[in-house]
Amino acid sequence: MAWITEHPPRTVDLDSCVTCGLCLPMCPTFRLTGDETASPRGRLAAITAVADGRLTVDERFDEITSFCLQCRACETACPSMLPYGEVIESARAEAVAQVPHPDQRLRRFALGRALAGPVTMRVATLGAAAMQRIGALEALPVVGGATAGLRPLPVPLPSARGGAWGPRDADRVTLFTGCVADTWFTGIHTATVEVLLAAGYRVEAPEDQTCCGALASHSGFGDDAARMARSNIASLTGDDPIVVNVAGCGAHLKAYGRYGDDGGDLAARTKDVTEIVAEAIESGRLPMMSPAGERVAVQDPCHLEHGQRISREPRILLEAAGYEVVEADPGGLCCGAAGLYQVDHPDTAEELGREKADKVAATGTTLVASANAGCEMQLRRYLDDGYEVLHPVEIYARALRRGGTGPAPSP
Amino acid sequence: MSLTSDLERLLGPGRVRHHPLDVAVFAKDAGVVPGSVLAAVLPETTQEVAAIVRLANRHEVPIVPRGAGTGLAGGAVPTEPGLLVVLTRFTSIEDVDTVGRTAWVGPGVINLDLSRALTGEGLHFAPDPSSQSACTIGGNVGTNAGGPHCLADGTTVAHIYAAELVTPSGDVVVVGGEAPDTPGLDLRAVVVGSEGTLGIVTRVLVRLMQSPPDVATLLIGFPSVESAAATVSDVIASGLIPAALEMMDKRMVAAVENFVHAGYPTDAAAVLLAEVTGPTSTVLADTERIADIAREHGADDVRIATDDDERALLWKGRKSAFGAVAQAAPDYYLHDTVVPRTRLVEVMNQIYEIGDRYGLMMLNVFHAGDGNLHPLVAFDAKEPGMLERVQAAAKEMVKASIEVGGSLSGEHGIGFEKRDLMPLVFSAVDLDAQARVKEAFDPLGLMNPDKVLPSGSRCFDAAGVRL
Ligand SMILES: Cc1cc2nc3c(=O)[nH]c(=O)nc-3n(C[C@H](O)[C@H](O)[C@H](O)COP(=O)(O)OP(=O)(O)OC[C@H]3O[C@@H](n4cnc5c(N)ncnc54)[C@H](O)[C@@H]3O)c2cc1C
Ligand code: SF4
Ligand code: SF4
């Protein structure tokens, strides 16, 4: 049997590819190489060859599938609406299960266990904060390279988990805190809570939620990802909307339908923070600030634009914050951040990162909005000093504060 | 030494793909039938292409040029174990002459990228196949591609002044020239549309068109296919030449709307997409005239898009039509016949009838302006006997078109998949003449063999008779 995991790529999905090739130009790795083995249609053909029993999962299969950024730009282009993201995740799981890899155990521990545990995350983060202060963090094996562009890590460590803000009788939303975001990107949580409170919501962040599992799933640790998903499904119950402020996590939570009906229910309640804030702005629950003559460059994270088909909402936030929005790279390619991609394919990640940074720099603005933590780090890494890269909700929160709508509560 | 190891020595291992999985990746284009690939190579210069051709000749291995592989006729896959020469790395756009409106471009440049690169100059490359976001200029030259806007501007052959060609023996020649009308035989026109059977195009001198000052796009819903077709005839008869006139039937509209959400009227029996270009006053007048003619024929739903975003969305609908069919079934067979405009309705009805008789699901989308029909059969090739049924029906549909004075292929090419239908259009003498041209270019018969011309085209040879 060619497939050995519990959830191999599904034949119905593979069958829906009519090999039209319309996805090719959207694919960053195809654009860089001109090589169809690095294209969506090509990867699907390779996966189909295994699914049909014609070929087996070998090292080349591992290479072909791991070179994919999982940016899902091909999904947006695909007229037959093939769910490429899910197919490639299952294919990666097969490759990981069948092709030995030198750092497999360390990776599995990092992505499958450490991210899911509040204690491991805190220990790791404290260690990382110390190393970041002496400049040693980026030199770490395997994961070190992925930490450049990180915001300065705070000590002591904050966490939004277990918090609750706002009046008890207000409309409730659940804040999804995430793993890395909770400790490494607290500013985004602070801004999210601040803006949602201003919109009249009560915000709760259940204590026992965990990592969404996206990184594990993208890296082929499907079982670990499923375990995290089940844990979140058990924790994030109720009917309240679940607000997510990392595009990668949001896209993954919205795909929880694969874990059954209750997963589908959670997926249906999941909203990117820009969706809920844009809605509040449009319905008048949040103010539009008057234009201040400043400009902001907007970058579209793949897992927002392609994974969730959201591109209008971040712009609404930025315009409401009083900025003129400048397009950095409309319809452009992935910035190359893509989780652990830079560990496996540093050259491609760098090429894409530099290309994106150049486009941002060409806008002539130094304030950049990105709604995904990974992209934010990637942009910071390749932009010169003097650029400020923030989440749109942080930019809106700052404008709100300047507009004098009350002091900022801290989570 | 095997061919692959010779190629690896020439190009380095990273640009020669021959692992079984790689070979599976390249085994298909956007057509239906998979081919058989020995290896795929990614050259970067004309000299490399020439060296590859000579190596393949030495090993007596057939060569197939390939662009983006969006071709619909199996033209870009070898029928017997062969070498794919992939031109996607030829992406240069050079010597843009904004006065003479020309540029030298690599065959790997994506059609839409070329026009996008030139928006600043107010220029564009006119042929706009629905696959233009993906297909390459080399592929367009190969198939003499057309598109919605070729109604007014002509197909690719009218937009290529010259092409650099690596011949089947590995020599480099230029056909055509900088001047629009070069003396001697017009080999340029022979090469354009030859589907990679006469050589590998490595550089093209393209003709660029000035982008129109103003554009309007109309989306019109009709109560019947007949009324839509009658509108098309009357529009053309009135002397108007719209930039594009496209038609879709109800099933196609449903598939497309489900993908793009562009507000296509899903309750209409047929939808017409028309575009007019020119100075603003002309655009306004022409738009009104088309809308009036449509209303006279009972159109109840006329939508006019003037802003770029809405226009782009409407076109996205039309241009995703073929792919959107995958929602209906995993495979599709796309016809490309051309019929006289006056016989459109008659042929369409016949096509529906044939589809019904074979129990096939038919969807229709086509360039109504020039009578280029694209009836599309959606099916599942895994069903036993299905492919044969589809092909049998295809033959009948093509016959129906030819009987009213039509032709086999408007723009998608013949390739492998429509090759055996050629005798329906051409006499043995015609085919023999074409085979002689092929032989003059490619005496070894190694350049994209088995394509376009059915075996035995040199019939007079077979019969031992010489003209
Ligand atoms: C969704 C969809 C819509 C389409 N709509 C249209 C349409 O509206 N109009 C239309 O005309 N076609 C259409 N096509 C067909 C196809 O896109 C065109 O035929 C296009 O020109 C092929 O370009 P390509 O780069 O993909 O070429 P390929 O498919 O790679 O090759 C096509 C042919 O050209 C040859 N070739 C490629 N490159 C070279 C070269 N450098 N030198 C010599 N020969 C070469 C190949 O050998 C092959 O025979 C459509 C296809 C799809 C999937
Ligand atoms: S997910 Fe991104 S990198 Fe992977 S095939 Fe699709 S477009 Fe290419
Ligand atoms: S766009 Fe979709 S159907 Fe077309 S080749 Fe890509 S994945 Fe397949």
Side-chain angles (χ1 to χ4, degrees):
Chain A
M1 180 58 199
W3 299 137
I4 62 169
T5 67
E6 213 172 307
H7 301 290
R10 298 189 313 164
T11 313
V12 283
D13 295 338
L14 294 171
D15 275 354
S16 69
C17 177
V18 290
T19 69
C20 67
L22 294 183
C23 51
L24 265 54
M26 293 288 277
C27 174
T29 52
F30 176 70
R31 275 311 183 96
L32 290 181
T33 61
D35 181 349
E36 284 187 51
T37 67
S39 78
R41 178 176 69 179
R43 291 176 176 126
L44 289 166
I47 298 168
T48 304
V50 175
D52 288 352
R54 282 178 281 140
L55 296 169
T56 50
V57 173
D58 60 5
E59 271 167 33
R60 184 69 185 131
F61 184 90
D62 184 45
E63 268 172 25
I64 288 177
T65 53
S66 97
F67 192 41
C68 169
L69 292 142
Q70 303 191 26
C71 67
R72 296 168 66 183
C74 47
E75 271 185 45
T76 299
C78 178
S80 70
M81 303 197 278
L82 190 145
Y84 179 86
E86 286 187 36
V87 172
I88 191 74
E89 284 177 23
S90 318
R92 286 303 301 145
E94 289 290 343
V96 165
Q98 300 193 42
V99 183
H101 194 287
D103 324 313
Q104 204 83 301
R105 291 175 60 187
L106 175 58
R107 278 166 193 245
R108 173 142 192 223
F109 173 74
L111 303 178
R113 297 275 165 196
L115 291 182
V119 178
T120 38
M121 261 316 281
R122 293 176 82 81
V123 171
T125 306
L126 281 174
M131 294 179 85
Q132 193 183 42
R133 278 167 176 68
I134 60 167
L137 184 57
E138 288 179 44
L140 272 185
V142 184
V143 290
T147 60
L150 197 57
R151 298 177 177 202
L153 293 171
V155 177
L157 295 177
S159 169
R161 227 184 284 209
W165 306 266
R168 288 188 179 282
D169 56 348
D171 286 347
R172 269 189 331 231
V173 295
T174 299
L175 177 67
F176 182 76
T177 51
C179 51
V180 188
D182 192 28
T183 37
W184 298 7
F185 295 87
T186 36
I188 304 178
H189 281 341
T190 310
T192 301
V193 172
E194 204 176 316
V195 171
L196 290 173
L197 286 184
Y201 284 109
R202 174 177 170 81
V203 184
E204 294 181 358
E207 174 72 46
D208 52 354
Q209 57 176 307
T210 187
C211 167
C212 66
L215 281 176
S217 189
H218 294 168
S219 306
F221 302 115
D223 296 346
D224 298 296
R227 204 187 54 247
M228 293 182 226
R230 278 193 291 273
S231 163
N232 278 324
I233 293 167
S235 158
L236 303 171
T237 50
D239 304 323
D240 305 336
I242 299 167
V243 179
V244 191
N245 51 27
V246 178
C249 307
H252 193 65
L253 290 171
K254 286 182 179 180
Y256 266 19
R258 69 179 101 174
Y259 302 117
D261 287 349
D262 42 1
D265 174 58
L266 186 151
R269 288 190 288 131
T270 301
K271 286 214 161 21
D272 186 74
V273 62
T274 59
E275 288 182 271
I276 210 158
V277 173
E279 198 184 288
I281 291 167
E282 288 187 322
S283 66
R285 288 171 79 170
L286 282 171
M288 302 268 302
M289 261 64 79
S290 47
E294 286 172 58
R295 306 189 325 147
V296 57
V298 61
Q299 177 259 358
D300 290 300
C302 295
H303 284 196
L304 201 62
E305 184 181 12
H306 306 301
Q308 303 182 55
R309 306 291 158 93
I310 294 173
S311 55
R312 198 177 63 95
E313 286 78 358
R315 290 164 175 75
I316 294 177
L317 266 66
L318 297 170
E319 273 166 17
Y323 287 90
E324 181 195 333
V325 176
V326 193
E327 297 294 334
D329 185 17
L333 303 177
C334 173
C335 68
L340 276 195
Y341 193 79
Q342 35 208 331
V343 177
D344 290 322
H345 304 284
D347 297 346
T348 308
E350 174 166 352
E351 196 170 347
L352 291 168
R354 288 202 187 285
E355 247 175 53
K356 187 66 81 178
D358 287 348
K359 296 222 162 116
V360 169
T363 63
T365 51
T366 52
L367 177 61
V368 187
S370 172
N372 187 50
C375 309
E376 176 191 309
M377 286 167 64
Q378 180 80 340
L379 286 171
R380 199 171 289 130
R381 174 192 300 212
Y382 292 112
L383 283 168
D384 296 337
D385 293 344
Y387 285 87
E388 193 181 19
V389 190
L390 294 172
H391 192 289
V393 79
E394 290 180 287
I395 295 174
Y396 185 78
R398 194 161 71 179
L400 206 56
R401 247 174 271 147
R402 280 196 205 139
T405 335
S410 64
Chain B
M1 276 294 232
S2 70
L3 173 62
T4 42
S5 47
D6 277 349
L7 289 167
E8 282 183 341
R9 254 211 321 233
L10 177 70
L11 303 170
R15 293 196 280 143
V16 183
R17 298 283 181 215
H18 58 85
H19 183 283
L21 277 167
D22 297 331
V23 163
V25 161
F26 284 102
K28 257 190 106 225
D29 56 12
V32 180
V33 187
S36 168
V37 180
L38 211 58
V41 286
L42 290 158
E44 288 167 4
T45 62
T46 304
Q47 285 66 39
E48 282 179 354
V49 173
I52 291 166
V53 169
R54 286 194 295 266
L55 275 180
N57 280 348
R58 196 178 318 142
H59 289 271
E60 293 179 29
V61 169
I63 306 166
V64 177
R66 180 170 170 115
T70 67
L72 292 161
V77 292
T79 48
E80 56 185 294
L83 177 67
L84 271 185
V85 180
V86 180
L87 282 304
T88 47
R89 293 198 176 182
F90 286 69
T91 53
S92 64
I93 299 178
E94 289 167 344
D95 304 331
V96 178
D97 174 355
T98 51
V99 180
R101 297 195 200 132
T102 58
W104 275 101
V105 306
V109 172
I110 292 174
N111 175 303
L112 191 59
D113 283 1
L114 177 57
S115 290
R116 285 214 180 118
L118 297 164
T119 27
E121 323 287 348
L123 297 172
H124 71 284
F125 183 64
D128 62 336
S130 305
S131 53
Q132 74 178 139
S133 64
C135 65
T136 65
I137 298 294
N140 295 164
V141 170
T143 58
N144 186 17
H149 289 84
C150 291
L151 176 58
D153 296 333
T155 56
T156 301
V157 68
H159 302 270
I160 304 295
Y161 286 134
E164 178 185 82
L165 186 77
V166 174
T167 66
S169 53
D171 298 322
V172 181
V173 299
V174 174
V175 293
E178 312 251 341
D181 202 359
T182 44
L185 286 178
D186 188 2
L187 293 179
R188 171 201 61 94
V190 176
V191 166
V192 177
S194 64
E195 304 188 40
T197 61
L198 304 182
I200 303 177
V201 172
T202 46
R203 239 155 64 95
V204 194
L205 181 66
V206 293
R207 168 191 178 207
L208 302 169
M209 305 276 285
Q210 199 149 29
S211 303
D214 205 358
V215 192
T217 306
L218 293 92
L219 182 74
I220 312 170
F222 288 91
S224 68
V225 174
E226 283 80 2
S227 53
T231 301
V232 171
S233 292
D234 283 4
V235 166
I236 306 265
S238 77
L240 274 176
I241 302 187
L245 256 182
E246 301 286 303
M247 193 159 137
M248 276 186 235
D249 71 2
K250 192 179 172 102
R251 276 213 200 117
M252 191 51 111
V253 167
V256 159
E257 181 57 20
N258 193 30
F259 173 54
V260 293
H261 307 293
Y264 273 51
T266 46
D267 51 350
V271 162
L272 208 58
L273 194 63
E275 188 155 284
V276 290
T277 57
T280 306
S281 54
T282 320
V283 166
L284 283 176
D286 291 356
T287 308
E288 262 323 298
R289 249 167 96 196
I290 294 176
D292 284 345
I293 296 175
R295 286 195 194 96
E296 278 166 29
H297 286 285
D300 29 30
D301 187 355
V302 180
R303 176 166 151 203
I304 299 167
T306 44
D307 84 74
D308 285 349
D309 287 346
E310 194 183 356
R311 286 187 40 246
L313 192 62
L314 292 185
W315 277 112
K316 186 174 178 206
R318 166 61 185 88
K319 294 194 171 179
S320 354
F322 300 147
V325 167
Q327 299 162 36
D331 300 281
Y332 62 74
Y333 186 99
L334 184 55
H335 294 261
D336 179 33
T337 56
V338 184
V339 297
R341 239 179 348 256
T342 46
R343 313 288 291 268
L344 259 180
V345 176
E346 178 189 338
V347 176
M348 268 185 70
N349 286 337
Q350 255 177 304
I351 283 171
Y352 283 122
E353 184 274 316
I354 296 167
D356 287 346
R357 192 146 40 75
Y358 281 91
L360 298 170
M361 171 149 154
M362 303 285 314
L363 297 86
N364 259 298
V365 55
F366 54 93
H367 310 310
D370 45 19
N372 188 181
L373 288 174
H374 293 316
L376 205 151
V377 184
F379 66 101
D380 185 348
K382 284 185 182 157
E383 234 175 89
M386 185 48 118
L387 205 55
E388 290 72 32
R389 235 159 79 207
V390 170
Q391 277 160 350
K395 201 163 176 175
E396 282 200 37
M397 290 178 199
V398 170
K399 267 193 184 146
S401 307
I402 290 169
E403 269 161 21
V404 299
S407 126
L408 176 56
S409 173
E411 55 184 28
H412 296 166
I414 304 299
F416 171 66
E417 296 183 10
K418 299 197 170 87
R419 182 191 66 181
D420 293 337
L421 300 173
M422 286 284 276
L424 293 177
V425 199
F426 293 106
S427 71
V429 180
D430 294 335
L431 288 174
D432 183 69
Q434 294 193 27
R436 279 164 194 268
V437 173
K438 161 78 174 158
E439 218 173 83
F441 273 82
D442 182 22
L444 297 177
L446 289 176
M447 188 57 75
N448 212 354
D450 299 331
K451 305 293 168 61
V452 186
L453 298 171
S455 55
S457 288
R458 287 296 310 269
C459 53
F460 295 103
D461 273 354
V465 183
R466 290 230 162 245
L467 277 184

